[in-house]
Structures are given as structure tokens and as C-alpha cells.
């Protein structure tokens, strides 16, 4: 529909005050677009609760959608939900999955100039007089029917290699933690964009009326004194320019899972409901007068918070889990705040319709003391990852649950700082790093991509983190080029303005 100016037959009285500025900034197209998304969206919502996907599906079947209306999902989805196991700080690919026996006898030799090349030099390695190669001190073996090489540090993960796809050729543009995490999780190194979980929430809507669409869990680190732990920031799970209801909800591991989850003593649920009704009445009046979408988001958030007071305690209460389940996830699964506990929680959220669950496991920033800390970190996540895949599979959930494991970049083959046989560190590295995916139409038991003899450069099937995000959306039925939101004059996308492609070699 083309824009055209209003003539005398279409005169609209603009309210005064703050609402004048709000309506004056809207074009005719935006006005009708908002009407379609408001009244039309309300009608569609009424058809299928508050589940956007269900509403569109039913409305389409009954012929209620106008010609040219958005179709969601864009593709036949393989996944109904996703669980993102994020290893904050960047695991060392050469010590976990990227086996390089060719350099086993090259300890303390200089990294060849032909391998080093140019670009992506960190401030730390520019200052170093030499870049001394450190082969992995850990043994590797082939596992499963597929024969994937896995380090001795991950014996439990080795048992599920026939269920996962290992990507060795990922690349990123950014080499500092905060910006690199922001890039891989929001599509842009500058904070303020919408996170991948928010995009999925926005694109697919809610499954469970009583739980958030997007939940975040931050695990305790096993490293002594919190060594190598990077901070996590709300922009990693924020909604950016998308409606605030799409932001991730952080569940705490100490005290109430969500602040103010319990009503104050002496306040009954009926009194709380009456108070909320009064607030919602005022918000509804303000929404009718001003039309600010932030008010609509606040109305929805208040209602969700009220419902969560009943559902979140049940979600986080593990007393009905069997002893066998706790044994599967490991002894730490009984301890709130641990990675194992969060993986068990992730399975419970998958069962209850949470669209996107993100677990942050921190401490992988191995600039020094790698031989001391890396075994602790691997042990912390190894059995829980195995348990999560196994548990989802035996419950019939892995077929439509996408699981992603990995960090923001990789680590260098050369040592950072002083090199000793039993004590060294590895610097940040973005030219190749390893992640793995499982479930929901991902081809199991494969290794995708290849690196050179030094695990320094990706040399086959190179994929950028934008390609990874395009693939995640694809498995959830979303086309990364069509899932957009108009903001600051641009059709914003998770994959940004740079080219991105679905990694078809990962798909079954």
C-alpha cells in the first residue's frame, strides 16, 4: 500500500501534550500497521489464547487473515524451542574438540609466519616477543559410530557424539569478551540491539500463558576465586528495540527465583488481584489516550508477573524429580545455581513450553592457569550436557528441541605470557572456534568444517556467527531475512546488514 497525504475528507484531530508528539511521528502506513497489530492482533490472540503462532495458524485456516498478512512461521519448523548453553569466556577448541596431532612435537616452537598471516592481532600478542606453540597436553580419542575426536576432559560428552553436530570452522570479527558476546547473541557488537532469545519470542510468541517465553539462568563458576569469570550484562538477553515483553527473565539461584515473587505478609491473593486491577485500569486509560507501546508492554508484564507467582515456584521445585534423574545429571544437580541444576531446570522448562532457555556457564577465559582451570570447567559442564541430551531424547523432546553449546570465540594455539609445561594460558582467537548443536533437524554424528594443523585458521566450510544465528532461526521456522522490525529507519534483523546464510551442511 503506497503512502499518500490525507485530504480534507481525512482530517484527524491530534491530541495535545505528549500524545501529540507520539501521533505526529507516525506515518499513515505506521498508523494502519499499528491498527492491524493492535485490534487485529487482539482478535487473533482471542482465537488461541495468547499464543501468536497458534493464533496465526488458526486464523489462516479459517481464512481470516487479509491478503499479504505476515505468515509465521515462515518455514516448516523443526524446533519448537531452543536451549542455549553459553560457555562465557570462550572454551579452548584445541583442548576439547579440535584434535591436532600434527603439532604434538612442536612445543615451544614459534608459530610459523605462514600460519599467523595478518589480521586479528590482540594487544597482548603484539607485545609478546614470540608466539610459542603449545600442543594440547590432553589425550584425544575417537568416539561413537561417527568417530568424532573428543578430549579426555569431556568423557560424558564423548558418549553423545552420535547425537550432536560439531562445528569447527566458526569465525567472529570481535576479540574482546563483552563485544564478542554481544555480537553472537544480538547480531551487533554495540549494545542495544535485540537478543536472539528476544527475536525468537517476538517471532513465535508464547506457548505457556503462565511462564515467560525467554528465561535466563546464570551458573556459578567452579574456578577457584572466580578466576577467568567474565561479567554478564542484561543486554545479552535484552529486547532492545523490540517490545519489552520479549526480554529474557532471569531466574535467581538464591532466595526467590524472581524478586518480589511472594506477596507481603498479610496481603491475600484477592487483595493483590484487586490492586493489580486498579493499576491496569489506569494503564489501560493511558494506553487509549497516548498509544505508547511501552504501556501495553507494562500491562502484559504485570499480568505475567501475577501468574508467575503461582507457576515459578512449581517450576523451580525439584522435589518431584526422581533419584535416578539426579544421578543422571550428577551430584551438583541438587545444588541451586550450579550448571547441572540449571540443565535440569532447562529440561523442565522445555516440558512446560518455555521457548528459549539460556544458561550462562562462566570462567572459560583461560589467559593463564589453563591446566589448572580447564579440567574443572569441563568437569562442571560435561555430565550435565550429556544428561540434558539424554533426558530430552528419552522423553521425546530432542526431536523438536534445538540445543546449542559454545562460547563467543576460541583460544590461540600459542601461549600467552610465560610458558611452562604445566602452566600456560591461551589468548582470544576468532579465526576458528568450535561449537556443537543437537536435536530439531540438526544432522547428528557429524563434524562440520576443518582447521589447519595449528587450529589457527578455518580452511573448509567457514561459517560466521551470523550464519549460526541464521541457522538457529531457520530451525525454529524463521527466515532471518524476513524476521524484521522497523527501527531508526531500518528493517532491523538479528543477522544485521552483513550477508548471512543458513549452514545447510548441518541440516538433516
Amino acid at each position: 500500500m503506497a503512502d499518500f497525504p490525507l485530504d480534507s475528507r481525512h482530517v484527524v484531530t491530534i491530541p495535545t501534550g505528549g500524545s501529540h508528539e507520539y501521533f505526529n511521528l507516525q506515518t499513515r502506513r505506521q498508523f494502519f500497521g499499528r491498527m492491524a497489530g493492535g485490534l487485529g492482533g487482539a482478535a487473533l490472540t482471542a482465537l488461541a489464547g495468547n499464543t501468536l503462532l497458534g493464533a496465526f495458524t488458526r486464523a489462516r485456516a479459517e481464512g481470516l487473515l487479509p491478503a499479504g498478512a505476515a505468515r509465521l512461521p515462515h518455514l516448516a519448523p523443526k524446533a519448537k524451542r531452543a536451549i542455549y548453553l553459553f560457555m562465557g569466556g570462550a572454551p579452548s577448541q584445541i583442548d576439547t574438540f579440535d584434535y591436532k596431532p600434527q603439532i604434538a612435537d612442536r612445543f615451544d616452537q614459534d608459530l610459523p609466519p605462514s600460519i599467523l598471516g595478518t589480521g586479528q592481532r590482540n594487544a597482548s600478542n603484539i607485545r609478546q616477543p614470540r608466539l610459542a606453540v603449545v600442543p594440547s597436553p590432553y589425550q584425544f580419542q575417537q568416539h561413537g559410530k561417527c568417530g568424532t575426536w573428543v578430549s579426555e576432559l569431556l568423557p560424558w560428552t564423548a558418549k553423545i557424539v552420535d547425537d550432536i553436530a560439531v562445528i569447527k570452522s566458526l569465525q567472529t570479527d570481535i576479540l574482546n569478551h563483552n563485544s564478542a558476546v554481544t555480537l553472537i547473541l544480538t547480531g551487533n557488537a554495540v549494545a542495544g540491539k535485540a537478543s536472539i532469545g528476544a527475536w525468537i519470542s517476538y517471532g513465535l510468541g508464547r506457548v505457556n500463558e503462565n511462564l515467560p517465553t525467554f528465561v535466563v539462568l546464570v551458573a556459578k563458576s567452579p574456578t577457584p576465586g572466580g578466576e577467568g569469570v567474565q561479567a554478564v550484562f542484561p543486554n545479552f538477553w535484552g529486547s532492545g528495540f523490540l517490545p519489552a515483553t520479549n526480554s529474557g527473565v532471569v531466574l535467581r539461584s538464591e532466595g526467590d527465583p524472581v524478586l518480589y515473587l511472594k506477596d507481603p505478609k498479610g496481603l491475600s491473593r484477592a487483595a493483590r488481584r484487586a490492586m493489580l486491577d486498579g493499576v491496569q485500569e489506569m494503564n489501560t486509560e493511558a494506553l487509549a489516550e497516548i498509544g505508547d507501546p511501552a504501556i501495553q508492554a507494562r500491562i502484559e508484564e504485570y499480568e505475567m508477573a501475577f501468574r508467575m507467582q503461582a507457576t515459578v515456584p512449581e517450576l523451580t521445585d525439584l522435589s518431584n524429580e526422581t533419584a535416578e534423574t539426579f544421578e543422571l545429571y550428577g551430584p551438583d544437580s541438587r545444588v541451586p545455581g550450579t550448571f547441572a541444576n540449571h540443565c535440569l531446570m532447562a529440561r523442565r522448562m522445555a516440558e512446560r513450553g518455555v521457548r528459549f532457555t539460556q544458561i550462562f556457564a562462566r570462567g572459560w577465559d583461560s589467559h593463564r592457569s589453563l591446566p589448572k582451570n580447564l579440567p574443572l570447567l569441563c568437569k562442571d559442564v560435561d555430565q550435565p550436557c550429556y544428561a540434558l541430551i539424554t533426558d530430552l531424547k528419552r522423553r521425546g523432546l530432542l526431536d523438536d528441541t534445538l540445543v546449542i553449546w559454545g562460547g563467543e570465540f576460541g583460544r590461540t594455539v600459542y601461549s600467552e605470557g610465560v610458558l611452562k609445561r604445566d602452566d600456560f594460558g591461551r589468548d582470544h582467537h576468532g579465526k576458528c572456534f568450535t561449537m556443537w548443536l543437537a536435536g530439531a533437524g540438526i544432522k547428528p554424528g557429524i563434524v562440520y568444517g576443518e582447521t589447519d594443523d595449528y587450529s589457527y585458521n578455518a580452511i573448509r566450510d567457514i561459517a560466521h556467527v551470523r550464519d549460526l544465528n541464521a541457522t538457529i532461526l531457520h530451525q525454529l521456522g524463521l527466515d532471518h531475512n524476513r524476521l524484521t522490525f522497523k527501527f531508526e529507519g531500518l528493517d532491523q534483523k538479528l543477522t544485521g546488514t552483513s550477508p548471512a546464510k543458513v549452514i545447510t551442511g548441518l541440516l538433516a
Side-chain angles (χ1 to χ4, degrees):
M1 182 186 296
D3 288 333
F4 60 89
L6 297 174
D7 59 24
S8 59
R9 295 170 296 173
H10 302 95
V11 174
V12 178
T13 301
I14 303 295
T16 58
S19 57
H20 172 82
E21 180 181 4
Y22 181 79
F23 283 110
N24 198 39
L25 290 174
Q26 292 191 99
T27 65
R28 179 178 178 278
R29 175 176 294 169
Q30 290 170 330
F31 172 76
F32 283 111
R34 291 183 56 76
M35 288 295 291
L39 298 178
L44 291 176
T45 297
L47 291 172
N50 203 24
T51 306
L52 184 60
L53 175 57
F56 267 104
T57 301
R58 183 171 172 186
R60 183 186 307 156
E62 297 183 10
L64 299 179
L65 285 179
R71 296 295 196 266
L72 291 171
H74 306 124
L75 316 161
K78 298 293 185 181
K80 293 180 180 178
R81 66 196 74 81
I83 299 172
Y84 203 141
L85 310 173
F86 196 84
M87 306 294 113
S92 170
Q93 76 283 354
I94 197 171
D95 296 300
T96 51
F97 292 101
D98 203 9
Y99 181 43
K100 294 302 172 185
Q102 305 92 329
I103 60 171
D105 59 352
R106 299 180 188 177
F107 179 82
D108 203 20
Q109 294 184 12
D110 290 339
L111 184 68
S114 60
I115 297 296
L116 178 62
T118 59
Q120 283 207 326
R121 297 295 300 276
N122 295 338
S124 57
N125 67 43
I126 288 175
R127 293 194 300 267
Q128 288 187 195
R130 55 189 294 261
L131 305 179
V133 171
V134 190
S136 178
Y138 306 107
Q139 298 297 313
F140 280 71
Q141 288 185 350
Q142 288 179 288
H143 294 271
K145 295 178 181 178
C146 58
T148 299
W149 291 95
V150 182
S151 164
E152 63 180 316
L153 295 178
L154 298 169
W156 289 93
T157 303
K159 298 179 182 182
I160 56 169
V161 291
D162 287 332
D163 294 311
I164 68 177
V166 178
I167 315 172
K168 292 186 177 180
S169 53
L170 278 169
Q171 292 186 337
T172 186
D173 307 325
I174 307 297
L175 290 181
N176 65 77
H177 290 287
N178 186 13
S179 298
V181 176
T182 304
L183 174 62
I184 196 171
L185 295 184
T186 74
N188 194 295
V190 179
K193 301 292 185 179
S195 63
I196 184 170
W199 275 113
I200 291 169
S201 171
Y202 171 72
L204 296 180
R206 184 171 295 133
V207 176
N208 187 330
E209 287 294 300
N210 301 315
L211 287 173
T213 309
F214 175 18
V215 173
V216 176
L217 301 163
V218 181
K220 301 173 182 176
S221 173
T223 57
E227 188 173 354
V229 171
Q230 292 292 325
V232 292
F233 300 97
N235 63 278
F236 295 166
W237 53 83
S239 61
F241 40 73
L242 295 177
T245 51
N246 300 120
S247 292
V249 174
V250 181
L251 295 189
R252 307 188 315 153
S253 57
E254 296 181 1
D256 289 338
V258 180
L259 288 174
Y260 311 115
L261 189 65
K262 298 177 182 176
D263 290 325
K265 291 182 179 180
L267 182 67
S268 68
R269 292 296 287 164
R272 168 68 80 184
R273 182 69 255 181
M275 291 171 59
L276 180 59
D277 288 344
V279 172
Q280 297 296 57
E281 184 177 351
M282 291 187 287
N283 282 334
T284 301
E285 291 175 358
L287 178 64
E289 177 184 354
I290 301 173
D292 188 344
I295 300 176
Q296 178 63 43
R298 188 175 299 119
I299 291 171
E300 295 177 14
E301 287 173 337
Y302 284 176
E303 290 297 332
M304 172 57 72
F306 183 79
R307 295 194 297 270
M308 283 171 58
Q309 286 185 302
T311 58
V312 169
E314 186 277 332
L315 170 67
T316 57
D317 180 6
L318 306 184
S319 61
N320 62 344
E321 295 289 344
T322 65
E324 186 274 336
T325 298
F326 285 116
E327 184 178 351
L328 175 67
Y329 283 85
D332 287 345
S333 59
R334 295 181 181 272
V335 182
T338 61
F339 183 79
N341 178 268
H342 288 341
C343 282
L344 178 52
M345 287 278 294
R347 190 224 74 208
R348 292 173 62 87
M349 285 187 272
E351 290 177 312
R352 289 159 174 76
V354 174
R355 283 276 187 206
F356 195 84
T357 302
Q358 190 153 33
I359 304 175
F360 287 87
R362 301 176 297 158
W364 296 86
D365 192 20
S366 305
H367 288 283
R368 60 182 184 272
S369 305
L370 184 144
K372 179 183 71 174
N373 291 330
L374 187 60
L376 297 175
L377 292 158
C378 288
K379 183 179 180 181
D380 186 54
V381 305
D382 186 33
Q383 183 176 350
C385 288
Y386 160 82
L388 178 61
I389 298 298
T390 302
D391 207 5
L392 290 172
K393 189 175 181 179
R394 70 183 183 179
R395 293 170 187 265
L397 291 168
L398 188 60
D399 288 343
D400 54 14
T401 303
L402 179 63
V403 182
I404 309 109
W405 182 98
E408 63 269 35
F409 41 64
R411 316 299 302 193
T412 55
V413 65
Y414 56 79
S415 175
E416 179 179 0
V418 177
L419 171 59
K420 299 178 181 178
R421 282 277 181 185
D422 59 351
D423 189 15
F424 60 88
R426 299 193 189 276
D427 205 351
H428 303 173
H429 190 60
K431 289 187 175 182
C432 68
F433 65 103
T434 298
M435 297 182 70
W436 60 255
L437 284 75
I442 296 297
K443 190 181 298 183
I446 68 165
V447 173
Y448 182 87
E450 185 180 346
T451 60
D452 61 27
D453 289 351
Y454 289 81
S455 188
Y456 196 83
N457 300 288
I459 59 176
R460 180 173 59 82
D461 294 332
I462 299 171
H464 194 273
V465 293
R466 286 185 291 269
D467 303 327
L468 173 71
N469 285 340
T471 305
I472 293 171
L473 292 183
H474 180 274
Q475 295 310 95
L476 285 152
L478 299 169
D479 183 336
H480 71 99
N481 283 317
R482 295 165 62 191
L483 182 63
T484 62
F485 188 89
K486 195 77 170 183
F487 180 71
E488 293 185 342
L490 288 177
D491 288 328
Q492 302 283 347
K493 303 186 299 181
L494 172 63
T495 51
T497 56
S498 300
K501 63 183 184 300
V502 174
I503 309 172
T504 56
L506 292 176
L507 310 184

